[in-house]
Amino acid sequence: MPLQLFNTETRALQTVTPLDGKKVRFYTCGPTVYDFAHIGNFRTFIFEDILRRAMKFFGYEVMQVMNLTDVDDKTIRGSVAKKMSLNDFTSQYTKAFFEDIKTLNIEQVEHYPAATDYIPQMIEMIEELIRKGVAYVGKDGSVYFAIGKFPGYGKLSHLSLDELKVGASEGRRSQDEYGKENIADFVLWKGYDPERDGEVYWESPFGKGRPGWHLECSVMARAILGDTIDIHAGGVDLMFPHHENEIAQSESCTGCCFSKLWVHAEHLLVDNKKMSKSLGNFYTLRDLLEKGYSGKVIRYMLMQTHYRTSLNFTFQGLEGAKAAISRINDFIIRLEEYQGPLGVQFADIESFTARAIEDFGKALADDLNVPEALAVLFEMIRAANGLCDAKKLSRHDAEAILEVVKKMDSVLGVGTFTHESVPAEVQKLVDERQHARAVRDWKRSDEIRDALAGLGYVVEDTPSGSRVKRL
Ligand code: AMP
Ligand code: ZN
């Protein structure tokens, strides 16, 4: 069952096949650390996390890079406004980003390069591009990429340069972000302006300045993953101009294909408009946590729609996600605690579990169809609950089904499994309390309950034993 993804460049499904046969080299444009990320950003990061986990589900090794954009127009503007050094300003948001991805159960990736750690390599790439005749120093002291010199320009976003008015007469764009309507040569090195840039600049052969945002990704991808990567992902707003510019820079420099596969996630919307800082229609993760929604509920809400379909944010949607998570977790608890009638065995258990995993895999293999994969999980829950009610399952059968749920959740990342979710020291206390209760040492049992509360856990006593949950 090969994993296939819709390649933006070819507009067709393409099988994921790592260049070196085993390890997928995966580049994902990371956060611009000038503020807290909003949940629209996290929709894209969760999509990338599910893709990463799905690749592992299918047996691939993954080497993923997610860069941190810690120097661009926005980070400089913020640090100058706050009268802070660029690093002091961005590091508070980098820290918040790592806290947030943990809350959302997004796996740590292999590399998180910060743009400011790669300035020498960026200067080298610009020199190479000048040498190759595709970049030039402008009258304003900035260095620009001449898009007319790169024949493939527009191949990702399917724009034809001939149909667009391009060129110096249109005015060069020195901003990091611009739209299709003002396509022009873009900046690789932005000359220093003391009023705009405060103390933020680096020395270079082209004078004081700092790298353009698009260049940063080309350089970090090449430095860590090599000239050709297997998959490049980001939100759909990055397709043009950011990814188009990455291709132009990288391929002009190396002469190799930059990325074999391009995947783009559609936006999270609010009232049919993109959730964004500039429109002010956004929620941060922290806003929603304060309203009492857990990280996993928010994760579920953001991942439940296919990544190539836009998703409208509503609180009703969050309530729906909460109900779905409860259904999954109630099922997990039921399986964990299930004793089963003695002497019973479900003859079809092997085909039951194998079919569930196969259908789940088929859904993921088909361009990461998470809604279909969730439907497979819920259908299995419905069927297995029926089998439990009819007392057709043994304890052993329940364990086999629990293993299937765990395997599915290795991709989804929304379930809570009692034994896994509890740190060893907490589990030790729970076991000790169980023993204290067994010998009717109520004083010790209460002491341990308090100790657990101190660690952030509450213990519940059920007919089948003690269960511990996060407070
Ligand atoms: P930024 O921090 O602005 O560089 O964006 C980080 C990631 O979030 C990029 O991959 C963007 O494409 C993505 N993104 C920004 N806004 C949204 C949105 N409303 N919905 C989904 N993804 C978004
Ligand atoms: Zn990028």
Side-chain angles (χ1 to χ4, degrees), residues 27 29-30 67 213 217 232 238 242-243 246:
Y27 189 90
C29 296
N67 72 290
W213 169 45
C217 284
H232 195 312
L238 298 190
H242 184 55
H243 291 161
E246 284 186 32

Side-chain angles (χ1 to χ4, degrees), residues 29-32 38 40-41 43-45 74 234-238 266-268 274-275:
C29 296
T32 307
H38 61 64
N41 302 131
R43 183 188 187 200
T44 295
F45 298 140
K74 293 190 261 192
V236 68
D237 55 321
L238 298 190
E266 276 295 336
H267 284 146
L268 180 68
K274 177 189 168 193
M275 180 177 282

Side-chain angles (χ1 to χ4, degrees), residues 16-25 225-231 257-258 260:
V16 174
T17 37
L19 251 184
D20 73 358
K22 54 180 197 311
K23 192 183 275 174
V24 181
R25 288 158 197 276
L225 299 175
D227 288 348
T228 300
I229 59 182
D230 292 300
I231 307 180
C257 161
F258 176 45
K260 292 182 351 183

